[in-house]
Amino acid sequence: MDTENHSEKVEKIVEEEDGGDLVRSFKTNNHEVNDEQNKVSLMRTFVETQDPTSKDVDDLKLRRFLRARDLDIEKGSALFLKHVKWRRSFVPNGFISESEVTHDIAHSKVFMQGYDKSGRPILVIHGAKHFPNKVKGGIEEFKRFVVYCLDKLSAKIPTGQEMFFIIADLEGWGYYSNCDIRGYLAALSVLQDNYPERLAKYYLIHVPSVFMAAWKLIYPFIDNNTKKKFVFVDDKSLKSTLLQEIDEDQLPEVYGGKLPLLPIEES
């Protein structure tokens, strides 16, 4: 279905709901909705007709899904409705408990501590402590762990801010011991499809050359809006680069700052 036909479908549904006043108020001379907030309003009316539980979602969340699809109401609505269905099925209790992700928590590989200069909470991942969970259901547990981490990180975002900052430390990462392409792609899908426009920056530090073989397999699956947020940081300028984004009193001690790393389950 092309954008024009879908837009007509959206307008038809909205018109049936409000008698046409909303649609007419949003149309411009070229019959397109140009203002972002108006698009959010039109998107809200549409998604609420498809899933009434959408009424509980604030405009900021809808706007993130809309922005993730370059303000395309068709694609933004589809992404959001897919997310609502996924969340209801994958996180039926509304949250992931530690008892559901014991394998990954036991490896002490994710930490959450401090905020960057823009007030975005910081997550630190130790890639060398991640080992593929090859038992039956292992990939599903890892996906639950990703949701567990991203939910806790999102809960730390202060009012007025919508994003978070991730640092992936790959020191000691080995291709045969740590590489988990299936797991990486699953995590990427969870992030892009269900936490759109939450990621501000994703720094990869202490990156061994062997990791680039895995990166070449991952990179094609990163959407264009997300690709620009991944930054490979040179070891020689690591501390100075981090200090451009993070004050020293908010930077982990291991990178020359003053905060100890705090395991995510203790945050």
Side-chain angles (χ1 to χ4, degrees), residues 59-84:
D59 281 357
L60 293 177
K61 183 169 184 176
L62 288 180
R63 188 177 68 178
R64 289 194 295 273
F65 279 83
L66 185 61
R67 286 178 173 177
R69 291 298 179 262
D70 300 317
L71 303 185
D72 184 304
I73 298 174
E74 171 192 358
K75 295 178 180 178
S77 297
L79 182 64
F80 174 76
L81 290 169
K82 178 183 176 183
H83 157 74
V84 172

PDB file of all heavy atoms in Angstrom, residues 59-84:
ATOM      1  N   ASP A  59       1.737  11.743  24.181  1.00  0.00           N
ATOM      2  CA  ASP A  59       2.136  12.232  22.869  1.00  0.00           C
ATOM      3  C   ASP A  59       3.628  12.088  22.615  1.00  0.00           C
ATOM      4  O   ASP A  59       4.065  11.906  21.474  1.00  0.00           O
ATOM      5  CB  ASP A  59       1.744  13.699  22.696  1.00  0.00           C
ATOM      6  CG  ASP A  59       0.265  13.880  22.373  1.00  0.00           C
ATOM      7  OD1 ASP A  59      -0.439  12.852  22.235  1.00  0.00           O
ATOM      8  OD2 ASP A  59      -0.179  15.041  22.251  1.00  0.00           O
ATOM      9  N   LEU A  60       4.435  12.182  23.655  1.00  0.00           N
ATOM     10  CA  LEU A  60       5.883  12.075  23.477  1.00  0.00           C
ATOM     11  C   LEU A  60       6.274  10.704  22.941  1.00  0.00           C
ATOM     12  O   LEU A  60       7.146  10.598  22.074  1.00  0.00           O
ATOM     13  CB  LEU A  60       6.605  12.343  24.805  1.00  0.00           C
ATOM     14  CG  LEU A  60       6.506  13.762  25.355  1.00  0.00           C
ATOM     15  CD1 LEU A  60       7.207  13.865  26.705  1.00  0.00           C
ATOM     16  CD2 LEU A  60       7.115  14.767  24.372  1.00  0.00           C
ATOM     17  N   LYS A  61       5.623   9.674  23.441  1.00  0.00           N
ATOM     18  CA  LYS A  61       5.927   8.331  22.945  1.00  0.00           C
ATOM     19  C   LYS A  61       5.476   8.177  21.502  1.00  0.00           C
ATOM     20  O   LYS A  61       6.216   7.640  20.664  1.00  0.00           O
ATOM     21  CB  LYS A  61       5.260   7.273  23.827  1.00  0.00           C
ATOM     22  CG  LYS A  61       5.602   5.843  23.407  1.00  0.00           C
ATOM     23  CD  LYS A  61       5.166   4.825  24.444  1.00  0.00           C
ATOM     24  CE  LYS A  61       5.603   3.427  24.055  1.00  0.00           C
ATOM     25  NZ  LYS A  61       5.279   2.409  25.097  1.00  0.00           N
ATOM     26  N   LEU A  62       4.284   8.636  21.202  1.00  0.00           N
ATOM     27  CA  LEU A  62       3.818   8.564  19.817  1.00  0.00           C
ATOM     28  C   LEU A  62       4.759   9.332  18.897  1.00  0.00           C
ATOM     29  O   LEU A  62       5.066   8.883  17.787  1.00  0.00           O
ATOM     30  CB  LEU A  62       2.401   9.131  19.709  1.00  0.00           C
ATOM     31  CG  LEU A  62       1.269   8.298  20.304  1.00  0.00           C
ATOM     32  CD1 LEU A  62      -0.057   9.018  20.103  1.00  0.00           C
ATOM     33  CD2 LEU A  62       1.221   6.910  19.685  1.00  0.00           C
ATOM     34  N   ARG A  63       5.223  10.468  19.355  1.00  0.00           N
ATOM     35  CA  ARG A  63       6.126  11.285  18.535  1.00  0.00           C
ATOM     36  C   ARG A  63       7.430  10.559  18.259  1.00  0.00           C
ATOM     37  O   ARG A  63       7.990  10.672  17.161  1.00  0.00           O
ATOM     38  CB  ARG A  63       6.400  12.613  19.231  1.00  0.00           C
ATOM     39  CG  ARG A  63       7.178  13.603  18.369  1.00  0.00           C
ATOM     40  CD  ARG A  63       7.366  14.927  19.074  1.00  0.00           C
ATOM     41  NE  ARG A  63       8.261  14.805  20.230  1.00  0.00           N
ATOM     42  CZ  ARG A  63       8.619  15.831  20.997  1.00  0.00           C
ATOM     43  NH1 ARG A  63       8.145  17.041  20.764  1.00  0.00           N
ATOM     44  NH2 ARG A  63       9.437  15.642  22.022  1.00  0.00           N
ATOM     45  N   ARG A  64       7.932   9.802  19.220  1.00  0.00           N
ATOM     46  CA  ARG A  64       9.170   9.051  18.988  1.00  0.00           C
ATOM     47  C   ARG A  64       8.982   8.020  17.878  1.00  0.00           C
ATOM     48  O   ARG A  64       9.865   7.831  17.031  1.00  0.00           O
ATOM     49  CB  ARG A  64       9.636   8.375  20.283  1.00  0.00           C
ATOM     50  CG  ARG A  64      10.164   9.348  21.320  1.00  0.00           C
ATOM     51  CD  ARG A  64      10.926   8.631  22.429  1.00  0.00           C
ATOM     52  NE  ARG A  64      10.093   7.748  23.227  1.00  0.00           N
ATOM     53  CZ  ARG A  64       9.397   8.125  24.292  1.00  0.00           C
ATOM     54  NH1 ARG A  64       9.423   9.398  24.680  1.00  0.00           N
ATOM     55  NH2 ARG A  64       8.681   7.256  24.977  1.00  0.00           N
ATOM     56  N   PHE A  65       7.853   7.341  17.894  1.00  0.00           N
ATOM     57  CA  PHE A  65       7.589   6.355  16.837  1.00  0.00           C
ATOM     58  C   PHE A  65       7.411   7.052  15.492  1.00  0.00           C
ATOM     59  O   PHE A  65       7.847   6.542  14.457  1.00  0.00           O
ATOM     60  CB  PHE A  65       6.355   5.524  17.192  1.00  0.00           C
ATOM     61  CG  PHE A  65       6.641   4.412  18.165  1.00  0.00           C
ATOM     62  CD1 PHE A  65       6.679   4.657  19.528  1.00  0.00           C
ATOM     63  CD2 PHE A  65       6.898   3.133  17.716  1.00  0.00           C
ATOM     64  CE1 PHE A  65       6.962   3.644  20.436  1.00  0.00           C
ATOM     65  CE2 PHE A  65       7.182   2.101  18.603  1.00  0.00           C
ATOM     66  CZ  PHE A  65       7.216   2.360  19.974  1.00  0.00           C
ATOM     67  N   LEU A  66       6.783   8.206  15.505  1.00  0.00           N
ATOM     68  CA  LEU A  66       6.589   8.965  14.271  1.00  0.00           C
ATOM     69  C   LEU A  66       7.927   9.453  13.725  1.00  0.00           C
ATOM     70  O   LEU A  66       8.197   9.348  12.518  1.00  0.00           O
ATOM     71  CB  LEU A  66       5.658  10.152  14.542  1.00  0.00           C
ATOM     72  CG  LEU A  66       5.238  11.011  13.348  1.00  0.00           C
ATOM     73  CD1 LEU A  66       4.469  10.187  12.333  1.00  0.00           C
ATOM     74  CD2 LEU A  66       4.390  12.191  13.824  1.00  0.00           C
ATOM     75  N   ARG A  67       8.771   9.980  14.596  1.00  0.00           N
ATOM     76  CA  ARG A  67      10.085  10.466  14.173  1.00  0.00           C
ATOM     77  C   ARG A  67      10.966   9.338  13.650  1.00  0.00           C
ATOM     78  O   ARG A  67      11.781   9.533  12.751  1.00  0.00           O
ATOM     79  CB  ARG A  67      10.781  11.170  15.335  1.00  0.00           C
ATOM     80  CG  ARG A  67      10.210  12.549  15.658  1.00  0.00           C
ATOM     81  CD  ARG A  67      10.910  13.164  16.847  1.00  0.00           C
ATOM     82  NE  ARG A  67      10.502  14.554  17.073  1.00  0.00           N
ATOM     83  CZ  ARG A  67      10.914  15.307  18.082  1.00  0.00           C
ATOM     84  NH1 ARG A  67      11.752  14.788  18.987  1.00  0.00           N
ATOM     85  NH2 ARG A  67      10.506  16.552  18.213  1.00  0.00           N
ATOM     86  N   ALA A  68      10.808   8.162  14.242  1.00  0.00           N
ATOM     87  CA  ALA A  68      11.608   7.016  13.810  1.00  0.00           C
ATOM     88  C   ALA A  68      11.306   6.632  12.368  1.00  0.00           C
ATOM     89  O   ALA A  68      12.107   5.949  11.722  1.00  0.00           O
ATOM     90  CB  ALA A  68      11.356   5.830  14.730  1.00  0.00           C
ATOM     91  N   ARG A  69      10.155   7.066  11.897  1.00  0.00           N
ATOM     92  CA  ARG A  69       9.780   6.787  10.508  1.00  0.00           C
ATOM     93  C   ARG A  69       9.669   8.094   9.716  1.00  0.00           C
ATOM     94  O   ARG A  69       8.865   8.222   8.801  1.00  0.00           O
ATOM     95  CB  ARG A  69       8.463   6.008  10.457  1.00  0.00           C
ATOM     96  CG  ARG A  69       8.601   4.572  10.986  1.00  0.00           C
ATOM     97  CD  ARG A  69       9.577   3.768  10.142  1.00  0.00           C
ATOM     98  NE  ARG A  69       9.765   2.401  10.625  1.00  0.00           N
ATOM     99  CZ  ARG A  69      10.773   2.010  11.395  1.00  0.00           C
ATOM    100  NH1 ARG A  69      11.667   2.900  11.801  1.00  0.00           N
ATOM    101  NH2 ARG A  69      10.900   0.747  11.761  1.00  0.00           N
ATOM    102  N   ASP A  70      10.520   9.046  10.094  1.00  0.00           N
ATOM    103  CA  ASP A  70      10.640  10.306   9.351  1.00  0.00           C
ATOM    104  C   ASP A  70       9.312  11.020   9.164  1.00  0.00           C
ATOM    105  O   ASP A  70       9.018  11.569   8.098  1.00  0.00           O
ATOM    106  CB  ASP A  70      11.308  10.057   7.992  1.00  0.00           C
ATOM    107  CG  ASP A  70      12.709   9.473   8.155  1.00  0.00           C
ATOM    108  OD1 ASP A  70      13.449   9.954   9.029  1.00  0.00           O
ATOM    109  OD2 ASP A  70      13.043   8.524   7.404  1.00  0.00           O
ATOM    110  N   LEU A  71       8.490  11.003  10.204  1.00  0.00           N
ATOM    111  CA  LEU A  71       7.196  11.692  10.247  1.00  0.00           C
ATOM    112  C   LEU A  71       6.179  11.134   9.254  1.00  0.00           C
ATOM    113  O   LEU A  71       5.214  11.808   8.895  1.00  0.00           O
ATOM    114  CB  LEU A  71       7.365  13.202  10.035  1.00  0.00           C
ATOM    115  CG  LEU A  71       8.294  13.921  11.012  1.00  0.00           C
ATOM    116  CD1 LEU A  71       8.255  15.428  10.748  1.00  0.00           C
ATOM    117  CD2 LEU A  71       7.937  13.615  12.468  1.00  0.00           C
ATOM    118  N   ASP A  72       6.395   9.902   8.820  1.00  0.00           N
ATOM    119  CA  ASP A  72       5.443   9.232   7.942  1.00  0.00           C
ATOM    120  C   ASP A  72       4.375   8.585   8.827  1.00  0.00           C
ATOM    121  O   ASP A  72       4.666   7.650   9.576  1.00  0.00           O
ATOM    122  CB  ASP A  72       6.171   8.172   7.107  1.00  0.00           C
ATOM    123  CG  ASP A  72       5.267   7.498   6.092  1.00  0.00           C
ATOM    124  OD1 ASP A  72       4.215   6.951   6.499  1.00  0.00           O
ATOM    125  OD2 ASP A  72       5.613   7.499   4.898  1.00  0.00           O
ATOM    126  N   ILE A  73       3.140   9.096   8.762  1.00  0.00           N
ATOM    127  CA  ILE A  73       2.076   8.620   9.636  1.00  0.00           C
ATOM    128  C   ILE A  73       1.795   7.139   9.415  1.00  0.00           C
ATOM    129  O   ILE A  73       1.560   6.387  10.366  1.00  0.00           O
ATOM    130  CB  ILE A  73       0.794   9.446   9.436  1.00  0.00           C
ATOM    131  CG1 ILE A  73       1.050  10.911   9.794  1.00  0.00           C
ATOM    132  CG2 ILE A  73      -0.345   8.899  10.288  1.00  0.00           C
ATOM    133  CD1 ILE A  73      -0.114  11.832   9.499  1.00  0.00           C
ATOM    134  N   GLU A  74       1.822   6.705   8.181  1.00  0.00           N
ATOM    135  CA  GLU A  74       1.567   5.292   7.873  1.00  0.00           C
ATOM    136  C   GLU A  74       2.589   4.402   8.572  1.00  0.00           C
ATOM    137  O   GLU A  74       2.232   3.469   9.307  1.00  0.00           O
ATOM    138  CB  GLU A  74       1.648   5.063   6.362  1.00  0.00           C
ATOM    139  CG  GLU A  74       1.612   3.589   5.985  1.00  0.00           C
ATOM    140  CD  GLU A  74       1.975   3.345   4.531  1.00  0.00           C
ATOM    141  OE1 GLU A  74       2.218   4.319   3.800  1.00  0.00           O
ATOM    142  OE2 GLU A  74       2.019   2.168   4.146  1.00  0.00           O
ATOM    143  N   LYS A  75       3.853   4.704   8.363  1.00  0.00           N
ATOM    144  CA  LYS A  75       4.906   3.848   8.911  1.00  0.00           C
ATOM    145  C   LYS A  75       5.020   3.992  10.421  1.00  0.00           C
ATOM    146  O   LYS A  75       5.264   3.008  11.129  1.00  0.00           O
ATOM    147  CB  LYS A  75       6.233   4.177   8.236  1.00  0.00           C
ATOM    148  CG  LYS A  75       6.248   3.854   6.740  1.00  0.00           C
ATOM    149  CD  LYS A  75       7.561   4.241   6.095  1.00  0.00           C
ATOM    150  CE  LYS A  75       7.557   3.917   4.606  1.00  0.00           C
ATOM    151  NZ  LYS A  75       8.831   4.344   3.949  1.00  0.00           N
ATOM    152  N   GLY A  76       4.845   5.215  10.922  1.00  0.00           N
ATOM    153  CA  GLY A  76       4.907   5.427  12.356  1.00  0.00           C
ATOM    154  C   GLY A  76       3.792   4.696  13.083  1.00  0.00           C
ATOM    155  O   GLY A  76       4.008   4.086  14.142  1.00  0.00           O
ATOM    156  N   SER A  77       2.595   4.740  12.519  1.00  0.00           N
ATOM    157  CA  SER A  77       1.453   4.048  13.119  1.00  0.00           C
ATOM    158  C   SER A  77       1.659   2.541  13.109  1.00  0.00           C
ATOM    159  O   SER A  77       1.375   1.848  14.094  1.00  0.00           O
ATOM    160  CB  SER A  77       0.167   4.391  12.373  1.00  0.00           C
ATOM    161  OG  SER A  77      -0.132   5.768  12.455  1.00  0.00           O
ATOM    162  N   ALA A  78       2.161   2.036  11.994  1.00  0.00           N
ATOM    163  CA  ALA A  78       2.394   0.591  11.886  1.00  0.00           C
ATOM    164  C   ALA A  78       3.435   0.129  12.904  1.00  0.00           C
ATOM    165  O   ALA A  78       3.269  -0.914  13.551  1.00  0.00           O
ATOM    166  CB  ALA A  78       2.847   0.242  10.470  1.00  0.00           C
ATOM    167  N   LEU A  79       4.502   0.906  13.045  1.00  0.00           N
ATOM    168  CA  LEU A  79       5.549   0.564  14.003  1.00  0.00           C
ATOM    169  C   LEU A  79       5.006   0.577  15.429  1.00  0.00           C
ATOM    170  O   LEU A  79       5.278  -0.325  16.226  1.00  0.00           O
ATOM    171  CB  LEU A  79       6.716   1.551  13.878  1.00  0.00           C
ATOM    172  CG  LEU A  79       7.928   1.305  14.783  1.00  0.00           C
ATOM    173  CD1 LEU A  79       8.606  -0.019  14.434  1.00  0.00           C
ATOM    174  CD2 LEU A  79       8.930   2.459  14.655  1.00  0.00           C
ATOM    175  N   PHE A  80       4.215   1.595  15.746  1.00  0.00           N
ATOM    176  CA  PHE A  80       3.665   1.714  17.091  1.00  0.00           C
ATOM    177  C   PHE A  80       2.700   0.568  17.400  1.00  0.00           C
ATOM    178  O   PHE A  80       2.758  -0.046  18.475  1.00  0.00           O
ATOM    179  CB  PHE A  80       2.958   3.058  17.266  1.00  0.00           C
ATOM    180  CG  PHE A  80       2.250   3.185  18.581  1.00  0.00           C
ATOM    181  CD1 PHE A  80       2.960   3.418  19.755  1.00  0.00           C
ATOM    182  CD2 PHE A  80       0.870   3.028  18.658  1.00  0.00           C
ATOM    183  CE1 PHE A  80       2.305   3.499  20.977  1.00  0.00           C
ATOM    184  CE2 PHE A  80       0.216   3.117  19.875  1.00  0.00           C
ATOM    185  CZ  PHE A  80       0.933   3.346  21.042  1.00  0.00           C
ATOM    186  N   LEU A  81       1.792   0.276  16.496  1.00  0.00           N
ATOM    187  CA  LEU A  81       0.807  -0.776  16.733  1.00  0.00           C
ATOM    188  C   LEU A  81       1.477  -2.147  16.847  1.00  0.00           C
ATOM    189  O   LEU A  81       1.055  -2.992  17.645  1.00  0.00           O
ATOM    190  CB  LEU A  81      -0.236  -0.779  15.623  1.00  0.00           C
ATOM    191  CG  LEU A  81      -1.177   0.430  15.623  1.00  0.00           C
ATOM    192  CD1 LEU A  81      -1.995   0.475  14.339  1.00  0.00           C
ATOM    193  CD2 LEU A  81      -2.083   0.412  16.851  1.00  0.00           C
ATOM    194  N   LYS A  82       2.530  -2.351  16.077  1.00  0.00           N
ATOM    195  CA  LYS A  82       3.302  -3.585  16.184  1.00  0.00           C
ATOM    196  C   LYS A  82       3.948  -3.672  17.565  1.00  0.00           C
ATOM    197  O   LYS A  82       3.975  -4.739  18.198  1.00  0.00           O
ATOM    198  CB  LYS A  82       4.372  -3.622  15.091  1.00  0.00           C
ATOM    199  CG  LYS A  82       5.260  -4.851  15.135  1.00  0.00           C
ATOM    200  CD  LYS A  82       6.333  -4.783  14.058  1.00  0.00           C
ATOM    201  CE  LYS A  82       7.292  -5.960  14.155  1.00  0.00           C
ATOM    202  NZ  LYS A  82       8.392  -5.864  13.149  1.00  0.00           N
ATOM    203  N   HIS A  83       4.464  -2.544  18.043  1.00  0.00           N
ATOM    204  CA  HIS A  83       5.081  -2.491  19.369  1.00  0.00           C
ATOM    205  C   HIS A  83       4.076  -2.806  20.461  1.00  0.00           C
ATOM    206  O   HIS A  83       4.366  -3.588  21.386  1.00  0.00           O
ATOM    207  CB  HIS A  83       5.671  -1.093  19.609  1.00  0.00           C
ATOM    208  CG  HIS A  83       5.833  -0.732  21.055  1.00  0.00           C
ATOM    209  ND1 HIS A  83       6.822  -1.275  21.854  1.00  0.00           N
ATOM    210  CD2 HIS A  83       5.110   0.100  21.867  1.00  0.00           C
ATOM    211  CE1 HIS A  83       6.711  -0.786  23.087  1.00  0.00           C
ATOM    212  NE2 HIS A  83       5.685   0.038  23.112  1.00  0.00           N
ATOM    213  N   VAL A  84       2.886  -2.226  20.395  1.00  0.00           N
ATOM    214  CA  VAL A  84       1.860  -2.458  21.414  1.00  0.00           C
ATOM    215  C   VAL A  84       1.511  -3.942  21.492  1.00  0.00           C
ATOM    216  O   VAL A  84       1.404  -4.526  22.586  1.00  0.00           O
ATOM    217  CB  VAL A  84       0.599  -1.621  21.124  1.00  0.00           C
ATOM    218  CG1 VAL A  84      -0.538  -2.011  22.054  1.00  0.00           C
ATOM    219  CG2 VAL A  84       0.903  -0.136  21.267  1.00  0.00           C
TER     220      VAL A  84
END
